[in-house]
Amino acid sequence: MSAPIITVSTVVKAPIDRVWNAWTLPEHITKWNAASDDWHSPSATNDLRVGGRFKCRMEARDGSAGFDFEGTYTRVEPQRQIAYAMDDGREVSMRFEPVDGGTKVSESFRAETENPVEMQKAGWQSILDNFRKHAEALA
């Protein structure tokens, strides 16, 4: 039996160009890419093109744990859609859609098998919520 698809989403009260830049530019990624306040992303690189790679370092602030989140882009439609393959082979699809009052960001991925599905969904949703707060705070 294959793992279920998880989808998380949020509406960012900001225009799509600001949302896109906040999601894709490394100087922004390091500001929001963590599921909780005791974690952070001290570094990020992003080659946003089909075949390009991204890498985000995620670490516990106390130095007790850390890992690299990385993959390869399989689809890039500016201000509309991003798809990528994580290094473990799972596919992620993202959509950016203009809606009344802002931009809806949706992210779908196949669950991994090491952690409970609800834990994965909560973690990815928390990162997306941090992203929303960061993007809305940009002038």
Side-chain angles (χ1 to χ4, degrees):
M1 185 169 114
S2 72
I5 300 291
I6 296 173
T7 299
V8 296
S9 64
T10 193
V11 173
V12 181
K13 294 176 187 163
I16 199 162
D17 58 333
R18 183 187 325 161
V19 172
W20 180 264
N21 287 339
W23 188 268
T24 60
L25 296 176
E27 61 265 29
H28 290 293
I29 296 168
T30 57
K31 304 281 193 287
W32 57 259
N33 192 30
S36 62
D37 290 341
D38 54 342
W39 279 73
H40 68 137
S41 276
S43 64
T45 58
N46 195 21
D47 183 7
L48 187 63
R49 62 181 173 83
V50 173
R53 291 195 43 86
F54 68 88
K55 178 177 174 180
C56 301
R57 180 70 186 165
M58 301 177 89
E59 294 180 353
R61 290 191 184 272
D62 68 5
S64 63
F67 62 93
D68 292 328
F69 180 77
E70 51 192 315
T72 303
Y73 291 107
T74 57
R75 182 177 202 149
V76 176
E77 294 178 44
Q79 299 184 9
R80 292 193 54 211
Q81 184 176 18
I82 295 172
Y84 60 89
M86 291 186 275
D87 282 356
D88 67 7
R90 293 181 297 141
E91 298 280 329
V92 177
S93 177
M94 299 199 58
R95 296 194 62 76
F96 299 80
E97 303 170 73
V99 296
D100 283 345
T103 304
K104 182 177 181 181
V105 180
S106 303
E107 197 170 15
S108 296
F109 61 98
R110 187 164 304 282
E112 43 93 348
T113 56
E114 293 178 25
N115 295 293
V117 170
E118 285 307 313
M119 175 193 267
Q120 294 176 66
K121 184 173 185 173
W124 284 58
Q125 183 66 56
S126 182
I127 292 169
L128 195 54
D129 292 345
N130 282 340
F131 166 73
R132 177 183 43 79
K133 290 175 203 165
H134 173 75
E136 288 178 351
L138 295 172

